Amino acid sequence: VKRGLVRLQSLYRCWPAKREAHLLRMQRGLHVSHLPSVMVALLSDARGRLTHYRSLGQRERPERPYAVLLRLTALRPALLDELDDVVVKIQACQRSRRFRQAILRIQSAMRSWLTRRMLRRRVEAVSRIQKAWRRCCAKAAESESDQEDAVHC
């Protein structure tokens, strides 16, 4: 159990370099406003997530929620290559974010399990101490009553 946690923590330690790379990406920024795009209305799926979309009509006003999608068919090959590089970085960032969240979720579950186990052991130890103390008090009371009986005879 602890070996797995140590492994996850060692993976966690490489994140400062990734954070620095993320800051550099943020400074450079992604500028796609000059590229051809189309506005779409976002639609919810069976789970209520906004995963579907439909094109907006010519005179239709965009209602929330909406998004702007790039028209990849209208892009020149050079722009597609540039966009591909940026999209790969964004996807890698998202993948690492999801991986980080999974690691934190696993570590949280392990910490809670270890804490519950430690508390259960402490409760058992307290119960054993109380049982031993009560037994000791009962023996002391029994021996005192035997001594009082002996004195009265």
Side-chain angles (χ1 to χ4, degrees), residues 5-19 99-100 103 107:
L5 285 176
V6 169
R7 170 83 173 123
L8 289 174
Q9 288 171 350
S10 68
L11 289 172
Y12 191 79
R13 290 186 184 113
C14 69
W15 290 343
K18 291 180 182 179
R19 190 176 306 122
F99 181 70
R100 189 177 326 123
I103 286 176
Q107 285 181 335

Side-chain angles (χ1 to χ4, degrees), residues 14-147:
C14 69
W15 290 343
K18 291 180 182 179
R19 190 176 306 122
E20 183 180 345
H22 175 70
L23 290 175
L24 290 174
R25 276 196 298 273
M26 292 296 289
Q27 288 174 355
R28 181 176 170 210
L30 175 64
H31 302 288
V32 294
S33 59
H34 64 281
L35 300 176
S37 59
V38 62
M39 205 171 230
V40 295
L42 297 175
L43 305 172
S44 58
D45 61 1
R47 294 182 179 178
R49 297 179 181 167
L50 299 174
T51 57
H52 300 294
Y53 65 90
R54 66 171 177 79
S55 297
L56 293 176
Q58 287 288 344
R59 294 191 178 124
E60 186 179 359
R61 297 188 76 189
E63 298 176 7
R64 291 276 183 202
Y66 67 91
V68 178
L69 299 180
L70 290 178
R71 293 177 45 215
L72 297 177
T73 56
L75 290 179
R76 295 187 320 250
L79 283 176
L80 271 174
D81 290 339
E82 182 181 334
L83 185 64
D84 185 42
D85 293 339
V86 174
V87 168
V88 165
K89 291 176 184 177
I90 292 171
Q91 288 174 341
C93 182
Q94 179 65 15
R95 220 174 284 125
S96 69
R97 186 177 146 269
R98 289 183 67 193
F99 181 70
R100 189 177 326 123
Q101 287 175 340
I103 286 176
L104 292 176
R105 195 175 303 122
I106 290 168
Q107 285 181 335
S108 173
M110 287 304 302
R111 278 194 307 269
S112 64
W113 178 77
L114 289 170
T115 303
R116 285 193 304 271
R117 187 176 71 169
M118 179 191 64
L119 288 174
R120 187 180 69 241
R121 287 179 178 177
R122 283 185 181 178
V123 166
E124 290 170 359
V126 165
S127 297
R128 278 192 301 253
I129 291 170
Q130 288 175 345
K131 185 177 179 181
W133 176 251
R134 288 179 186 138
R135 191 181 311 126
C136 181
C137 289
K139 285 183 181 179
E142 187 178 306
S143 65
E144 284 180 13
S145 65
D146 287 345
Q147 288 177 358

